């Protein structure tokens, strides 16, 4: 059963050790980079919630949830009071087994508890050409809105309704 577990001193090194395949390394940040970005966001007044993705006791991936737009300069209006799925990765050894879909569902379930306050939307971004991510996100109702986050395509979905 898939569950999200906060990053803590007991699991940080297991999560840092997870990685995507060579052909995906240009598409997603390392978990080390993501955890460092979470630290920087949190210490500068932003919101970042990093989680290990677990199948029972086995770490299989990483997801980071954000709220608001933090230091995203020129952020579109929709991002100001929205949740985001800032990062999502499944370790290369566990890909193709449905973990990405289960992890995204778990992340959205967590977001719908509104841990940082109410919001109408959730957004994410992905590298152009990452067709697997695009298909996964579309299957959950995320739709591109024409915005870009630096070099990445932004997709948005409503949280309710």
């Amino acid at each position: 059963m898939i569950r999200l577990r906060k990053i803590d001193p007991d699991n940080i090194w297991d999560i840092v050790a997870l990685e995507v395949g060579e052909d995906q390394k240009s598409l997603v940040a390392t978990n080390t980079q993501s955890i460092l970005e979470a630290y920087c966001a949190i210490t500068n007044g932003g919101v970042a919630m990093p989680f290990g993705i677990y199948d029972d006791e086995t770490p299989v991936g990483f997801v980071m949830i954000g709220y608001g737009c933090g230091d995203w300069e020129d952020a579109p209006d929709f991002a100001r009071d929205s949740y985001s799925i800032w990062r999502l990765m499944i370790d290369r050894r566990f890909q193709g087994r449905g973990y990405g879909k289960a992890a995204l569902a778990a992340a959205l379930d967590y977001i719908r508890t509104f841990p940082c306050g109410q919001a109408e939307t959730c957004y994410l971004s992905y590298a152009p050409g990452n067709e697997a991510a695009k298909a996964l996100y579309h299957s959950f109702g995320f739709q591109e809105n024409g915005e870009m986050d630096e070099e990445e395509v932004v997709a948005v979905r409503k949280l309710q309704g």
Side-chain angles (χ1 to χ4, degrees), residues 39-69:
Y39 173 82
C40 289
I42 292 165
T43 59
N44 286 289
V47 176
M49 297 171 273
F51 295 94
I53 301 165
Y54 281 77
D55 182 0
D56 292 320
E57 296 302 313
T58 303
V60 299
F62 173 82
V63 64
M64 187 158 68
I65 297 166
Y67 180 76
C69 52

Side-chain angles (χ1 to χ4, degrees), residues 92-141:
R92 59 181 160 55
R93 297 167 296 165
F94 301 102
Q95 291 181 9
R97 300 186 195 177
Y99 288 121
K101 188 173 189 174
L104 186 54
L108 288 168
D109 286 347
Y110 177 78
I111 288 168
R112 284 190 203 96
T113 69
F114 302 108
C116 299
Q118 289 292 316
E120 291 182 25
T121 58
C122 178
Y123 68 95
L124 49 76
S125 63
Y126 61 91
N130 188 344
E131 295 302 318
K134 180 179 179 178
L136 174 65
Y137 301 147
H138 278 199
S139 75
F140 278 84

Side-chain angles (χ1 to χ4, degrees), residues 7 12-19 28-40 50 62 64 87 89:
I7 303 297
I12 189 169
W13 299 116
D14 292 335
I15 300 306
V16 165
L18 300 174
E19 61 183 12
V28 64
T30 66
N31 294 342
T32 300
Q33 179 181 344
S34 295
I35 292 167
L36 289 170
E37 288 178 0
Y39 173 82
C40 289
F62 173 82
M64 187 158 68
R87 295 278 158 66
M89 68 79 69

